[in-house]
Amino acid sequence: VDISFENEKITDSRIILSGLTMANGINYHEGRLVVNEPTNGVVHVFDWENFEGKPKLVKAIKLEMIADNINFDDKGGSGKVEF
C-alpha cells in the first residue's frame, strides 16, 4: 500500500501489489522494487519507475531459506545474490 501524508493527515492511498501471502523486507532503489515473501520463500523483483502505475515483475527467486530483510549495498546492488 502506498500512503501519502500532508500535515500528518492521509491525503491519498492506493494498493501497489496484491496476492502476496506476506510482504516482509521491502526495499526500493532507482526503479527497482524488491519484495521478500518469506512464507513461500520467494523474493520478487520488480521494475517500477517513478512510483507510477503498477510494478512490473522481472523475476521471482525461490530461496532455500527464509530471508528476513532486503538491503542494497552502497552501489545499489543487493550483495551476493544478483537481481
Side-chain angles (χ1 to χ4, degrees):
V1 175
D2 177 31
I3 302 173
S4 299
F5 295 91
E6 187 174 316
N7 297 325
E8 299 182 15
K9 303 235 185 235
I10 296 173
T11 58
D12 189 34
S13 66
R14 64 184 174 139
I15 296 173
I16 303 300
L17 294 171
S18 61
L20 300 174
T21 58
M22 178 182 178
N24 182 36
I26 301 168
N27 212 325
Y28 179 85
H29 182 75
E30 295 182 2
R32 180 68 39 109
L33 174 67
V34 182
V35 180
N36 179 39
E37 187 179 14
T39 307
N40 294 326
V42 177
V43 175
H44 304 273
V45 181
F46 299 89
D47 280 336
W48 192 31
E49 292 295 329
N50 302 317
F51 303 103
E52 296 176 3
K54 296 282 185 182
K56 293 182 175 94
L57 183 64
V58 174
K59 65 174 89 171
I61 303 165
K62 179 73 174 156
L63 302 177
E64 294 182 19
M65 60 179 206
I66 296 174
D68 187 22
N69 294 308
I70 301 295
N71 297 300
F72 292 99
D73 63 23
D74 292 339
K75 297 177 185 176
S78 55
K80 293 183 180 179
V81 178
E82 292 186 17
F83 296 113

